[in-house]
Short mmCIF file of all heavy atoms in Angstrom, two decimals:
data_model
loop_
_atom_site.label_atom_id
_atom_site.label_comp_id
_atom_site.label_asym_id
_atom_site.label_seq_id
_atom_site.Cartn_x
_atom_site.Cartn_y
_atom_site.Cartn_z
N CYS A 455 134.93 77.83 -0.75
CA CYS A 455 134.66 78.62 0.39
C CYS A 455 135.86 79.05 1.18
O CYS A 455 136.14 80.16 1.44
CB CYS A 455 133.72 77.87 1.30
SG CYS A 455 132.57 76.81 0.61
N SER A 458 138.89 80.95 -0.72
CA SER A 458 138.46 82.31 -1.15
C SER A 458 138.35 83.17 0.09
O SER A 458 138.72 84.34 0.05
CB SER A 458 137.11 82.25 -1.96
OG SER A 458 136.05 81.80 -1.21
N LYS A 459 137.71 82.65 1.15
CA LYS A 459 137.57 83.52 2.30
C LYS A 459 139.01 83.88 3.03
O LYS A 459 139.14 84.94 3.46
CB LYS A 459 136.67 82.89 3.38
CG LYS A 459 135.18 83.31 3.16
CD LYS A 459 134.48 82.65 2.04
CE LYS A 459 134.13 83.42 0.84
NZ LYS A 459 133.41 82.67 -0.15
N SER A 556 130.01 70.01 -8.16
CA SER A 556 129.93 70.87 -9.36
C SER A 556 131.27 71.34 -9.82
O SER A 556 132.26 71.22 -9.00
CB SER A 556 129.01 72.04 -9.09
OG SER A 556 129.56 72.83 -8.19
N LEU A 561 133.18 78.88 -20.74
CA LEU A 561 132.47 79.47 -21.92
C LEU A 561 133.18 78.99 -23.15
O LEU A 561 134.44 78.91 -23.28
CB LEU A 561 132.64 81.08 -21.85
CG LEU A 561 131.81 81.73 -20.78
CD1 LEU A 561 132.17 83.25 -20.70
CD2 LEU A 561 130.31 81.56 -21.04
N ILE A 588 137.17 90.19 -15.03
CA ILE A 588 136.34 89.12 -14.47
C ILE A 588 135.08 89.09 -15.32
O ILE A 588 134.39 90.08 -15.43
CB ILE A 588 136.08 89.32 -12.96
CG1 ILE A 588 137.37 89.32 -12.21
CG2 ILE A 588 135.11 88.29 -12.50
CD1 ILE A 588 137.24 89.66 -10.74
N VAL A 589 134.89 87.87 -15.87
CA VAL A 589 133.63 87.75 -16.74
C VAL A 589 132.60 87.01 -15.74
O VAL A 589 132.84 85.89 -15.49
CB VAL A 589 133.98 86.86 -17.96
CG1 VAL A 589 132.66 86.71 -18.74
CG2 VAL A 589 135.01 87.49 -18.75
N GLY A 590 131.56 87.74 -15.43
CA GLY A 590 130.53 87.24 -14.49
C GLY A 590 130.63 87.96 -13.16
O GLY A 590 131.61 87.94 -12.46
N GLY A 591 129.67 88.80 -12.93
CA GLY A 591 129.54 89.62 -11.70
C GLY A 591 128.65 88.96 -10.66
O GLY A 591 127.84 89.73 -9.98
N GLY A 592 128.78 87.64 -10.40
CA GLY A 592 127.93 86.96 -9.40
C GLY A 592 128.80 86.90 -8.13
O GLY A 592 129.64 87.71 -7.85
N TYR A 593 128.47 85.78 -7.33
CA TYR A 593 129.17 85.65 -6.03
C TYR A 593 130.68 85.66 -6.16
O TYR A 593 131.30 86.45 -5.53
CB TYR A 593 128.85 84.14 -5.46
CG TYR A 593 127.60 84.03 -4.67
CD1 TYR A 593 126.46 83.54 -5.27
CD2 TYR A 593 127.67 84.26 -3.33
CE1 TYR A 593 125.30 83.25 -4.49
CE2 TYR A 593 126.55 83.96 -2.56
CZ TYR A 593 125.39 83.54 -3.12
OH TYR A 593 124.28 83.28 -2.41
N ILE A 594 131.19 84.77 -6.99
CA ILE A 594 132.67 84.61 -7.08
C ILE A 594 133.32 85.83 -7.76
O ILE A 594 134.32 86.37 -7.19
CB ILE A 594 133.01 83.33 -7.89
CG1 ILE A 594 132.44 82.07 -7.25
CG2 ILE A 594 134.57 83.24 -8.05
CD1 ILE A 594 132.75 80.85 -7.93
N GLY A 595 132.69 86.39 -8.72
CA GLY A 595 133.29 87.43 -9.49
C GLY A 595 133.51 88.75 -8.55
O GLY A 595 134.56 89.33 -8.51
N VAL A 596 132.39 89.03 -7.75
CA VAL A 596 132.47 90.30 -6.98
C VAL A 596 133.29 90.01 -5.70
O VAL A 596 134.10 90.85 -5.28
CB VAL A 596 131.00 90.72 -6.58
CG1 VAL A 596 131.08 92.01 -5.74
CG2 VAL A 596 130.21 90.97 -7.90
N GLU A 597 133.15 88.75 -5.06
CA GLU A 597 133.99 88.51 -3.90
C GLU A 597 135.47 88.62 -4.24
O GLU A 597 136.29 89.25 -3.62
CB GLU A 597 133.67 87.07 -3.38
CG GLU A 597 132.42 86.93 -2.62
CD GLU A 597 132.20 85.53 -1.94
OE1 GLU A 597 133.09 84.74 -2.07
OE2 GLU A 597 131.12 85.37 -1.39
N VAL A 612 132.88 92.26 -15.89
CA VAL A 612 131.99 92.30 -17.05
C VAL A 612 130.78 91.42 -16.76
O VAL A 612 130.89 90.14 -16.63
CB VAL A 612 132.72 91.71 -18.29
CG1 VAL A 612 131.77 91.75 -19.46
CG2 VAL A 612 133.94 92.56 -18.57
N GLU A 613 129.64 91.98 -16.56
CA GLU A 613 128.40 91.24 -16.20
C GLU A 613 127.35 91.35 -17.28
O GLU A 613 127.03 92.38 -17.79
CB GLU A 613 127.82 91.75 -14.86
CG GLU A 613 126.48 91.34 -14.37
CD GLU A 613 126.22 89.92 -14.38
OE1 GLU A 613 127.08 89.15 -13.81
OE2 GLU A 613 125.16 89.50 -14.84
N ALA A 614 126.72 90.18 -17.59
CA ALA A 614 125.81 90.15 -18.65
C ALA A 614 124.48 90.82 -18.43
O ALA A 614 123.86 91.45 -19.28
CB ALA A 614 125.50 88.63 -19.05
N THR A 615 124.01 90.76 -17.10
CA THR A 615 122.69 91.33 -16.82
C THR A 615 122.90 92.81 -16.43
O THR A 615 123.99 93.33 -16.50
CB THR A 615 122.02 90.57 -15.63
OG1 THR A 615 122.79 90.87 -14.42
CG2 THR A 615 121.94 89.05 -15.83
N GLN A 617 122.69 94.35 -13.62
CA GLN A 617 123.33 94.68 -12.35
C GLN A 617 124.29 93.59 -11.88
O GLN A 617 124.04 92.36 -12.21
CB GLN A 617 122.35 94.98 -11.22
CG GLN A 617 121.58 93.79 -10.70
CD GLN A 617 120.85 94.01 -9.35
OE1 GLN A 617 119.96 94.77 -9.31
NE2 GLN A 617 121.24 93.34 -8.33
N ILE A 618 125.26 93.95 -11.07
CA ILE A 618 126.10 92.88 -10.44
C ILE A 618 125.18 92.19 -9.40
O ILE A 618 124.19 92.76 -8.93
CB ILE A 618 127.38 93.45 -9.82
CG1 ILE A 618 127.00 94.60 -8.89
CG2 ILE A 618 128.38 93.79 -10.79
CD1 ILE A 618 128.02 94.85 -7.79
N LEU A 619 125.61 91.03 -9.03
CA LEU A 619 124.82 90.22 -8.00
C LEU A 619 123.38 90.16 -8.32
O LEU A 619 122.52 90.63 -7.51
CB LEU A 619 125.16 90.72 -6.68
CG LEU A 619 126.60 90.73 -6.13
CD1 LEU A 619 126.80 91.44 -4.85
CD2 LEU A 619 127.14 89.22 -6.02
N PRO A 620 122.96 89.79 -9.50
CA PRO A 620 121.58 89.87 -9.94
C PRO A 620 120.58 89.10 -9.02
O PRO A 620 119.40 89.34 -9.10
CB PRO A 620 121.51 89.41 -11.40
CG PRO A 620 122.80 88.61 -11.56
CD PRO A 620 123.81 89.20 -10.59
N LEU A 621 121.12 88.16 -8.19
CA LEU A 621 120.25 87.35 -7.28
C LEU A 621 119.65 88.28 -6.20
O LEU A 621 118.67 87.95 -5.57
CB LEU A 621 121.10 86.28 -6.62
CG LEU A 621 121.22 84.97 -7.26
CD1 LEU A 621 122.05 83.99 -6.42
CD2 LEU A 621 119.81 84.37 -7.44
N TYR A 622 120.35 89.36 -5.91
CA TYR A 622 119.92 90.26 -4.81
C TYR A 622 119.16 91.50 -5.25
O TYR A 622 119.52 91.94 -6.41
CB TYR A 622 121.13 90.62 -3.94
CG TYR A 622 121.90 89.47 -3.28
CD1 TYR A 622 123.17 89.09 -3.78
CD2 TYR A 622 121.26 88.71 -2.36
CE1 TYR A 622 123.79 88.08 -3.13
CE2 TYR A 622 121.92 87.64 -1.78
CZ TYR A 622 123.25 87.28 -2.18
OH TYR A 622 123.92 86.30 -1.60
N ALA A 645 127.01 93.46 -20.53
CA ALA A 645 128.10 93.22 -21.39
C ALA A 645 128.60 91.75 -21.38
O ALA A 645 128.40 91.10 -20.33
CB ALA A 645 129.27 94.11 -21.01
N LYS A 646 129.09 91.28 -22.50
CA LYS A 646 129.50 89.90 -22.60
C LYS A 646 130.93 89.85 -23.19
O LYS A 646 131.26 90.68 -24.11
CB LYS A 646 128.59 89.06 -23.31
CG LYS A 646 127.36 88.56 -22.63
CD LYS A 646 126.59 87.58 -23.40
CE LYS A 646 125.44 87.01 -22.57
NZ LYS A 646 124.61 86.11 -23.38
N ALA A 647 131.66 88.90 -22.82
CA ALA A 647 133.07 88.68 -23.45
C ALA A 647 132.85 87.88 -24.71
O ALA A 647 132.24 86.88 -24.67
CB ALA A 647 133.95 88.03 -22.46
N VAL A 676 136.96 83.65 -15.50
CA VAL A 676 135.66 83.29 -15.97
C VAL A 676 134.86 82.69 -14.91
O VAL A 676 135.19 81.64 -14.37
CB VAL A 676 135.66 82.44 -17.25
CG1 VAL A 676 134.22 82.08 -17.65
CG2 VAL A 676 136.35 83.16 -18.40
N THR A 677 133.82 83.33 -14.39
CA THR A 677 133.05 82.88 -13.29
C THR A 677 131.54 83.14 -13.58
O THR A 677 130.97 84.10 -12.98
CB THR A 677 133.58 83.42 -11.95
OG1 THR A 677 132.82 82.97 -10.95
CG2 THR A 677 133.71 84.92 -11.95
N VAL A 678 131.06 82.27 -14.38
CA VAL A 678 129.65 82.55 -14.93
C VAL A 678 128.70 81.41 -14.45
O VAL A 678 127.65 81.14 -15.01
CB VAL A 678 129.59 82.61 -16.46
CG1 VAL A 678 130.32 83.82 -16.96
CG2 VAL A 678 130.21 81.29 -17.06
N GLY A 679 129.00 80.86 -13.29
CA GLY A 679 128.17 79.86 -12.64
C GLY A 679 128.86 78.44 -12.55
O GLY A 679 130.05 78.39 -12.98
N ARG A 680 128.19 77.58 -11.97
CA ARG A 680 128.77 76.20 -11.81
C ARG A 680 127.72 75.13 -12.38
O ARG A 680 126.61 75.33 -12.34
CB ARG A 680 129.18 75.98 -10.35
CG ARG A 680 130.24 76.87 -9.92
CD ARG A 680 130.73 76.57 -8.49
NE ARG A 680 131.24 75.28 -8.27
CZ ARG A 680 132.42 74.91 -8.54
NH1 ARG A 680 133.30 75.69 -9.03
NH2 ARG A 680 132.83 73.61 -8.19
N ASP A 719 125.48 70.00 -4.45
CA ASP A 719 125.36 70.79 -5.72
C ASP A 719 124.79 70.05 -6.87
O ASP A 719 124.15 70.62 -7.73
CB ASP A 719 126.76 71.31 -6.14
CG ASP A 719 127.22 72.52 -5.33
OD1 ASP A 719 126.60 72.86 -4.33
OD2 ASP A 719 128.29 73.01 -5.64
N GLU A 723 119.87 74.37 -6.90
CA GLU A 723 120.11 75.54 -6.14
C GLU A 723 119.45 75.54 -4.79
O GLU A 723 118.40 74.91 -4.65
CB GLU A 723 119.63 76.80 -6.95
CG GLU A 723 120.24 76.96 -8.32
CD GLU A 723 121.62 77.63 -8.25
OE1 GLU A 723 122.04 77.98 -7.20
OE2 GLU A 723 122.22 77.71 -9.32
N PRO A 724 119.94 76.32 -3.85
CA PRO A 724 121.17 77.04 -3.83
C PRO A 724 122.40 76.07 -3.74
O PRO A 724 122.38 75.30 -2.88
CB PRO A 724 121.04 77.99 -2.69
CG PRO A 724 120.17 77.29 -1.72
CD PRO A 724 119.25 76.47 -2.56
N MET A 725 123.37 76.38 -4.55
CA MET A 725 124.66 75.54 -4.47
C MET A 725 125.55 76.11 -3.37
O MET A 725 126.42 76.83 -3.68
CB MET A 725 125.30 75.52 -5.84
CG MET A 725 124.53 74.68 -6.89
SD MET A 725 125.65 74.31 -8.30
CE MET A 725 125.16 75.54 -9.41
N LEU A 726 125.19 75.69 -2.16
CA LEU A 726 125.94 76.30 -1.04
C LEU A 726 126.37 75.07 -0.12
O LEU A 726 125.65 74.08 0.03
CB LEU A 726 125.04 77.23 -0.22
CG LEU A 726 124.62 78.43 -1.00
CD1 LEU A 726 123.58 79.22 -0.14
CD2 LEU A 726 125.76 79.33 -1.35
N ALA A 727 127.48 75.25 0.53
CA ALA A 727 128.06 74.21 1.31
C ALA A 727 127.16 73.81 2.49
O ALA A 727 126.99 72.59 2.77
CB ALA A 727 129.43 74.69 1.86
N HIS A 728 126.55 74.76 3.13
CA HIS A 728 125.78 74.46 4.33
C HIS A 728 124.48 73.71 3.92
O HIS A 728 123.95 72.89 4.77
CB HIS A 728 125.44 75.66 5.23
CG HIS A 728 125.21 76.95 4.40
ND1 HIS A 728 126.20 77.71 3.87
CD2 HIS A 728 124.00 77.52 4.09
CE1 HIS A 728 125.59 78.70 3.28
NE2 HIS A 728 124.31 78.66 3.31
N ALA A 755 121.96 82.65 2.77
CA ALA A 755 122.98 82.90 1.79
C ALA A 755 123.75 84.10 2.15
O ALA A 755 123.25 85.17 2.62
CB ALA A 755 122.30 83.18 0.42
N VAL A 756 125.12 83.98 2.17
CA VAL A 756 126.01 85.06 2.52
C VAL A 756 126.93 85.31 1.37
O VAL A 756 127.55 84.48 0.81
CB VAL A 756 126.83 84.68 3.79
CG1 VAL A 756 127.80 85.87 4.11
CG2 VAL A 756 125.93 84.32 4.93
N CYS A 757 126.95 86.55 1.04
CA CYS A 757 128.02 86.99 0.00
C CYS A 757 129.08 87.70 0.69
O CYS A 757 128.84 88.80 1.29
CB CYS A 757 127.24 87.89 -1.09
SG CYS A 757 128.19 88.00 -2.55
N PHE A 758 130.31 87.19 0.57
CA PHE A 758 131.38 87.83 1.35
C PHE A 758 132.09 88.97 0.53
O PHE A 758 133.29 88.91 0.40
CB PHE A 758 132.36 86.67 1.80
CG PHE A 758 131.86 85.74 2.76
CD1 PHE A 758 131.03 84.59 2.27
CD2 PHE A 758 132.03 85.85 4.09
CE1 PHE A 758 130.48 83.70 3.10
CE2 PHE A 758 131.48 84.97 4.94
CZ PHE A 758 130.74 83.95 4.48
P1 NAD B 2293 126.73 83.11 -10.01
O1 NAD B 2293 125.68 82.40 -10.58
O2 NAD B 2293 126.76 83.61 -8.67
O3 NAD B 2293 127.13 84.30 -10.94
C1 NAD B 2293 127.38 84.22 -12.33
C2 NAD B 2293 127.24 85.58 -12.97
O4 NAD B 2293 127.68 85.50 -14.33
C3 NAD B 2293 125.71 86.01 -13.02
O5 NAD B 2293 125.66 87.27 -12.46
C4 NAD B 2293 125.47 86.01 -14.58
O6 NAD B 2293 124.54 86.91 -14.88
C5 NAD B 2293 126.85 86.23 -15.22
N1 NAD B 2293 126.99 85.69 -16.53
C6 NAD B 2293 126.52 84.52 -17.03
N2 NAD B 2293 127.04 84.36 -18.32
C7 NAD B 2293 127.74 85.48 -18.55
C8 NAD B 2293 128.47 85.82 -19.71
N3 NAD B 2293 128.64 85.21 -20.79
N4 NAD B 2293 129.16 87.12 -19.60
C9 NAD B 2293 129.12 87.87 -18.53
N5 NAD B 2293 128.39 87.48 -17.44
C10 NAD B 2293 127.77 86.37 -17.48
O7 NAD B 2293 127.99 82.13 -10.27
P2 NAD B 2293 129.46 82.10 -9.66
O8 NAD B 2293 129.92 83.42 -9.19
O9 NAD B 2293 130.37 81.39 -10.70
O10 NAD B 2293 129.36 81.19 -8.45
C11 NAD B 2293 128.88 79.84 -8.63
C12 NAD B 2293 128.13 79.31 -7.35
O11 NAD B 2293 129.02 79.03 -6.32
C13 NAD B 2293 127.17 80.41 -6.78
O12 NAD B 2293 125.91 80.32 -7.55
C14 NAD B 2293 126.99 79.94 -5.40
O13 NAD B 2293 126.09 78.86 -5.34
C15 NAD B 2293 128.45 79.39 -5.10
N6 NAD B 2293 129.25 80.39 -4.34
C16 NAD B 2293 128.77 80.81 -3.23
C17 NAD B 2293 129.46 81.75 -2.48
C18 NAD B 2293 129.00 82.08 -1.14
O14 NAD B 2293 128.13 81.53 -0.54
N7 NAD B 2293 129.54 83.27 -0.55
C19 NAD B 2293 130.66 82.30 -3.00
C20 NAD B 2293 131.07 81.86 -4.20
C21 NAD B 2293 130.39 80.94 -4.85
#
Side-chain angles (χ1 to χ4, degrees):
C455 327
S458 63
K459 269 79 248 182
S556 64
L561 290 174
I588 298 177
V589 180
Y593 272 98
I594 299 177
V596 182
E597 285 186 3
V612 177
E613 165 57 42
T615 67
Q617 72 165 63
I618 51 156
L619 301 170
L621 269 181
Y622 298 113
K646 281 190 175 177
V676 176
T677 179
V678 293
R680 291 183 62 82
D719 283 8
E723 300 282 357
M725 288 197 261
L726 297 173
H728 40 280
V756 179
C757 196
F758 292 84

